[in-house]
Amino acid sequence: MKQNVKKVVTESYLSLAEEMGWSGETDGAFDISIPKDVKFGDFSCNIAMILASRHKTKPRGMAEKLSERIRDSDLFSSVLVAGPGFINMTVKPIHWVERLKEILDADESFGCVDTGESKKVLVEFVSANPTGPLHIGHGRGAVVGDTLARIMRKAGYDVHTEYYINDVGLQMDNLGRSTIARCFESLGKSFDEPPYKGDYIKDIARRFLETKDADLFSESDDKLVEQARDFTASCIMDDIRADLKEFRIEFDEWFSEMSLHTNGDVEKTIEILKENNHIYESDGALWLKTESAGDEKDRVVRRANGVTTYLASDIAYHKNKFDRNFDTVINVWGADHHGYVPRMKAVVKALGRDPSKLVVRLVQLVSLKKSGQSLSMSTRAGVFATLREIMDEVGVDATRYFFLMRSSDSQLEFDVDLAKKQSSENPVFYVQYAHARCCNIFVTAREREIDPAPFDKNIDLSLLQGKDELALIRKLLELPDVVESCAISLQPHPVTQYLTEVSSLFHYFYRHNRVVTDDPALTRARLFLTKAVRIVLRNGLDILGVNAPERM
RNA sequence: GCGCCCGUAGCUCAGCUGGAUAGAGCAUCGGACUUCUAAUCCGAAGGCCGCAGGUUCGAAUCCUGCCGGGCGUACCA
């Protein structure tokens, strides 16, 4: 609808400009907005205030002239100039109501837009080290990344999702040593303090022992560490995959850091950067020039002992990403990695690629609120809730929804008690209940043997012009705008807000109007509306990866 | 020190590509069930939008400087 309005305004402006001898287009430099207050109509436009100075005229006067032309359109029931020069437009109710058909026709694809123009986008997220179970911080990043991918698919992008497995490096060796230490411990032998102290290592150590003969421990230390490392990492990755699957997150690809070493990509990439004079040697180590591209200092890619750093792998990984010709490469990172952003931008530049095509979406930390107490996550203090624990306690739907309610830029306090409530105080139940209500209305209609196929062309939609109905309809038609704006801003949280608004308007409508009545024509029209509400709620919840139950 | 994020109702947070009287949920208080689910709805109360300047027709929103909180500042990943 907004597009239609914008078109009318633009055409009116161009016709006025021609008459007045003004040059230039509108440049799209004005907004059609939905006013907060209904008394300002359905749409408001600031074009006169934006463009008046350009033509050395007064906003108010220009708005008056424009509104005369806009009034020629059949779309509006009223066009008024207000305040400093706003043009407030009210669309004829019948035009709103008629558009319900679009929702029913589009059905599952209602909400889809084509802003993405099939551009190829890579979304890399989670990518947690396989050194322990996912915690709720990872969980937030996981849902944000996953939902972003879902939104961008709806917005017409060609999306590829990926999990980068950091299965190489010092930390991984430490992981192997931790398992070995627990093995020795369970065999009653003396052991070194394990770098990773979590209980999950004990369990893995037990399984590791089962697969090995006791004489394994006569093997060389290096070989043993390697075996323990790979075994442990693979156990933990299995758990991570299982957790994510249950959390309704699937990846197109699980990308192993190790593979970049075994296929020689890391060395090859270093050679290329050396040849291009981006890498130099100092103190026996190889350094990448990142400072000149905005980083705080240059960074080591290969230590004096010949071992490459994490950054070296990441360079090769990002070269690989860009070689796959994505139009945009999105990385979803925990905010504790924000210092890494300039470095990565510098890497992309050194690779001869456009740094603006790398977009890093930072997701702030999560804390838990439980029984009135606030618990911040701290790995050091050993206080952290795993994703599995929270999923088991509050359920997947509420966990996902709560992770998506806030802007990624804000730290999130997860209210466990609220998330567990099965009542309208809980936003996710509020929305799901609205959906279930829609479904139940159809159950009632069937029970009363009302025309089972009411959605034919004979429905008199003009019966839906009540205030409650129009407010609801206007809101329903916003879904595509919400999808588009979320895809552009790379923020999923407005969807939750939108769904709350739709639900609220529907509950209100439901409470004050009966859908199934003795009036067949009205019943059919309202069933039509109810169907549209159901589609919007279901599609919206689907974007979030949250179930839309038919009964509750 | 430097960098990033945050500072809005009692609490948790939206709103930030500038727009008209600043919103939601929770908590508090008061109402509404012979009706398609009261798992709902209606109403009340609650605010120097951290502080101070600047930009302009207009600033919670943009700029500058402070103050407060979180995170980060590795040849770890």
Side-chain angles (χ1 to χ4, degrees), chain A residues 349-362:
Chain A
K349 203 173 165 191
L351 289 169
R353 302 289 188 160
D354 179 0
S356 70
K357 289 193 168 183
L358 174 72
V359 179
V360 180
R361 189 79 237 153
L362 297 170

Side-chain angles (χ1 to χ4, degrees), chain A residues 63-81:
Chain A
E64 294 288 359
K65 283 185 186 147
L66 271 173
S67 64
E68 281 166 28
R69 282 161 205 267
I70 293 170
R71 261 179 221 120
D72 291 341
S73 163
D74 172 62
L75 194 56
F76 305 106
S77 58
S78 111
V79 179
L80 297 170
V81 176

Side-chain angles (χ1 to χ4, degrees), chain A residues 136 366-375 377 385-386 389-395 398-399 402-403 405 413-422 426 429:
Chain A
I136 55 173
V366 180
S367 63
L368 276 188
K369 185 180 168 193
K370 206 170 170 179
S371 335
Q373 284 211 316
S374 198
L375 301 170
M377 297 300 109
T386 61
E389 285 164 357
I390 209 80
M391 274 195 298
D392 288 347
E393 187 170 358
V394 310
T399 305
F402 271 61
F403 277 145
M405 283 197 301
E413 189 176 79
F414 193 111
D415 188 334
V416 177
D417 301 321
L418 180 62
K420 282 166 75 177
K421 276 189 189 164
Q422 312 264 314
N426 182 344
F429 274 86

Side-chain angles (χ1 to χ4, degrees), chain A residues 457-526:
Chain A
K457 305 285 184 231
N458 299 324
I459 290 180
D460 184 3
L461 291 176
S462 69
L463 296 170
L464 296 175
Q465 298 188 26
K467 203 169 140 241
D468 303 347
E469 285 144 336
L470 282 173
L472 184 52
I473 291 165
R474 276 193 289 260
K475 188 55 76 176
L476 294 178
L477 290 165
E478 280 177 38
L479 182 63
D481 299 332
V482 173
V483 170
E484 178 172 33
S485 124
C486 287
I488 290 168
S489 67
L490 300 180
Q491 284 271 25
H493 74 273
V495 176
T496 61
Q497 213 167 340
Y498 170 74
L499 289 175
T500 303
E501 288 163 7
V502 172
S503 302
S504 175
L505 288 167
F506 174 68
H507 284 310
Y508 183 92
F509 163 78
Y510 175 93
R511 196 74 183 84
H512 296 86
N513 304 273
R514 284 193 65 82
V515 175
V516 180
T517 63
D518 296 336
D519 179 342
L522 185 63
T523 298
R524 273 199 297 221
R526 285 188 171 162

Side-chain angles (χ1 to χ4, degrees), chain A residues 205-473:
Chain A
R206 188 177 46 72
R207 285 149 66 192
F208 183 58
L209 273 176
E210 282 169 9
T211 67
K212 300 291 167 192
D213 298 327
D215 65 344
L216 170 88
F217 294 97
S218 60
E219 288 190 43
S220 73
D221 187 57
D222 281 357
K223 194 171 176 197
L224 183 58
V225 168
E226 195 178 303
Q227 287 186 5
R229 177 195 71 191
D230 292 348
F231 183 86
T232 311
S234 132
C235 288
I236 292 175
M237 273 315 296
D238 284 348
D239 287 344
I240 288 177
R241 285 173 210 260
D243 285 358
L244 288 173
K245 188 165 187 192
E246 190 172 327
F247 208 34
R248 299 177 198 143
I249 293 173
E250 314 247 5
F251 289 91
D252 294 320
E253 192 159 343
W254 300 77
F255 197 107
S256 158
E257 177 183 358
M258 183 90 81
S259 72
L260 292 167
H261 285 87
T262 52
N263 71 9
D265 273 5
V266 174
E267 281 307 317
K268 246 183 276 172
T269 308
I270 290 176
E271 283 310 312
I272 292 169
L273 290 174
K274 243 197 246 176
E275 280 167 26
N276 295 336
N277 205 25
H278 289 293
I279 285 182
Y280 62 92
E281 191 171 338
S282 174
D283 300 330
L286 292 183
W287 299 72
L288 180 70
K289 295 179 187 171
T290 54
E291 187 177 354
S292 55
D295 197 6
E296 287 173 7
K297 51 178 278 197
D298 291 344
R299 306 289 175 175
V300 170
V301 294
R302 190 162 69 201
R303 306 175 182 97
N305 66 8
V307 179
T308 54
T309 61
Y310 172 78
L311 180 63
S313 309
D314 229 3
I315 297 168
Y317 180 37
H318 280 79
K319 180 175 184 303
N320 178 296
K321 285 184 179 179
F322 277 88
D323 286 349
R324 281 183 273 163
N325 286 318
F326 289 104
D327 294 292
T328 309
V329 171
I330 299 173
N331 294 353
V332 179
W333 287 350
D336 52 340
H337 288 75
H338 75 261
Y340 207 75
V341 176
R343 197 175 315 182
M344 225 43 237
K345 291 272 190 185
V347 164
V348 173
K349 203 173 165 191
L351 289 169
R353 302 289 188 160
D354 179 0
S356 70
K357 289 193 168 183
L358 174 72
V359 179
V360 180
R361 189 79 237 153
L362 297 170
V363 180
Q364 292 288 332
L365 310 181
V366 180
S367 63
L368 276 188
K369 185 180 168 193
K370 206 170 170 179
S371 335
Q373 284 211 316
S374 198
L375 301 170
S376 351
M377 297 300 109
S378 163
T379 319
R380 267 159 293 164
V383 182
F384 68 91
T386 61
L387 176 60
R388 160 121 343 243
E389 285 164 357
I390 209 80
M391 274 195 298
D392 288 347
E393 187 170 358
V394 310
V396 173
D397 283 342
T399 305
R400 287 189 64 115
Y401 199 91
F402 271 61
F403 277 145
L404 291 168
M405 283 197 301
R406 308 298 182 209
S407 159
S408 306
D409 290 333
S410 290
Q411 295 183 15
L412 173 86
E413 189 176 79
F414 193 111
D415 188 334
V416 177
D417 301 321
L418 180 62
K420 282 166 75 177
K421 276 189 189 164
Q422 312 264 314
S423 74
S424 66
E425 297 152 40
N426 182 344
V428 62
F429 274 86
Y430 185 80
V431 174
Q432 288 182 315
Y433 182 61
H435 179 267
R437 250 188 176 167
C438 288
C439 296
N440 198 60
I441 290 171
F442 282 92
V443 172
T444 304
R446 265 193 300 276
E447 282 167 359
R448 302 202 185 167
E449 295 177 339
I450 290 173
D451 187 350
F455 308 122
D456 52 40
K457 305 285 184 231
N458 299 324
I459 290 180
D460 184 3
L461 291 176
S462 69
L463 296 170
L464 296 175
Q465 298 188 26
K467 203 169 140 241
D468 303 347
E469 285 144 336
L470 282 173
L472 184 52
I473 291 165

